[in-house]
């Protein structure tokens, strides 16, 4: 597997450290109190950062939670690159499933769902960008929307409502249905 | 289309009126304040019912919101019965999509997602029961889990994160993928 650069760029140095501290604080507080009770001053205190820098970045607590909800899967990690799209998508889905088996990650996604609204508030946009990259590298014959509907959506549904069903058969089963009859 | 009895029974008379009042109050309050800020006393006051009867039924606000999140699609409505499973599932999916195009219904589902947790908290269990009924009537060759993963999950994902994509092509496209290669 070789490393493929992902669409997002790494944030370096001090701002990366601030972001990591904010992320941990949000994860802890969402688990402790539920997403509706988490405020920016609370996060700033827990993270040891200035509230102003959080307000500047996100504006309000729901936007912050929504934005962080799936950010923990590093946008800089190497994506699978086996030369076979079906295998790549299966590995990629498996990685996302493993991530969301962590209760802290699931709690944050529930917070992201609660904070999502009518605007462009898709906290899973990084996953969409990754799916696009995997597909385009392969020639683009599988529509990205179908990967979202038939691989990402079932994982997200299970994370939110039925986390105990996130087993190791899931990724190959979902990708199998995506490729059935193609 | 003939009416098919669904698995849930109708609650009659006074308790039905109380439930309807509670439901409307929860829908309004979740939209006004966000699901994390809604309390049982607040709902009781808005609905004009005794808080005790709400506590007795649901125990706490997250359970109440979770339970009501998709209850508004009446479990007593007739299910499609065209004699063709693919057509039935498409009509059934279309009905769910139309329901969740209402902002109040989407807000409640976001609240249900936020309130879901590690226990058996699937606020979409009525949809699961309906899918089971449609499939079993047809001979049970499509697994219910696949209907959940490939029809319900993509609708829920879009309701939560991308409500503006709930168009009229969605139901036939999702059910088409479910049947591809069978």
């Amino acid at each position: 597997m070789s490393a493929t650069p992902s669409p997002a760029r790494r944030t370096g140095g001090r701002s990366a450290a601030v972001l990591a501290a904010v992320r941990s604080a949000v994860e802890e507080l969402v688990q402790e109190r539920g997403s509706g009770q988490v405020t920016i001053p609370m996060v700033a205190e827990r993270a040891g950062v200035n509230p102003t820098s959080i307000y500047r970045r996100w504006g309000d607590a729901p936007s912050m939670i929504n934005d962080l909800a799936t950010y923990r899967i590093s946008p800089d990690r190497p994506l699978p690159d086996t030369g076979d799209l079906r295998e790549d998508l299966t590995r990629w889905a498996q990685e996302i499933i493993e991530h969301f088996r962590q209760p802290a990650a699931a709690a944050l996604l529930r917070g992201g769902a609660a904070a999502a609204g009518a605007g462009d508030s898709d906290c899973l946009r990084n996953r969409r960008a990754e799916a696009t990259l995997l597909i385009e590298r392969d020639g683009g014959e599988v529509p990205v929307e179908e990967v979202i509907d038939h691989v990402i959506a079932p994982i997200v549904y299970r994370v939110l409502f039925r986390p105990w069903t996130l087993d190791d058969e899931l990724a190959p089963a979902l990708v199998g249905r995506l490729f059935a009859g193609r």
Side-chain angles (χ1 to χ4, degrees), chain A:
Chain A
M1 245 195 272
S2 73
T4 306
S6 92
R9 281 195 63 242
R10 176 175 290 263
T11 319
R14 193 175 160 278
S15 70
V18 167
L19 182 58
V22 170
R23 248 189 236 172
S24 304
V26 170
E27 283 191 350
E28 287 170 22
L29 288 163
V30 166
Q31 277 205 291
E32 286 168 26
R33 299 174 183 240
S35 59
Q37 310 301 325
V38 175
T39 66
I40 286 182
M42 212 181 267
V43 170
E45 195 192 336
R46 178 77 59 103
V49 307
N50 195 314
T52 316
S53 59
I54 304 182
Y55 282 114
R56 203 182 303 126
R57 181 165 187 143
W58 288 292
D60 56 42
S63 303
M64 172 187 68
I65 291 170
N66 193 11
D67 196 50
L68 291 174
T70 67
Y71 199 82
R72 269 299 286 264
I73 303 182
S74 167
D76 297 304
R77 75 194 189 289
L79 289 174
D81 189 5
T82 63
D84 177 62
L85 179 59
R86 183 167 174 163
E87 180 62 26
D88 285 352
L89 286 171
T90 305
R91 290 184 187 195
W92 172 74
Q94 178 63 25
E95 195 176 52
I96 296 170
I97 290 167
E98 279 164 20
H99 173 74
F100 282 118
R101 278 189 193 138
Q102 304 166 70
L108 212 49
L109 188 60
R110 284 192 198 100
D120 186 2
S121 57
D122 186 352
C123 66
L124 293 148
R125 63 189 177 286
N126 287 335
R127 303 293 84 73
R128 177 183 307 275
E130 289 162 9
T132 306
L133 197 144
L134 291 174
I135 284 166
E136 285 180 353
R137 197 173 58 189
D138 189 71
E141 283 177 31
V142 177
V144 175
E145 285 305 315
E146 290 208 25
V147 178
I148 302 303
D149 281 334
H150 298 289
V151 181
I152 289 298
I155 296 172
V156 166
Y157 175 89
R158 287 165 180 254
V159 172
L160 295 176
F161 297 109
R162 317 184 76 217
W164 59 93
T165 67
L166 292 165
D167 57 42
D168 283 341
E169 280 80 60
L170 186 59
L174 296 176
V175 176
R177 171 80 1 239
L178 181 69
F179 279 84
R182 284 194 193 276

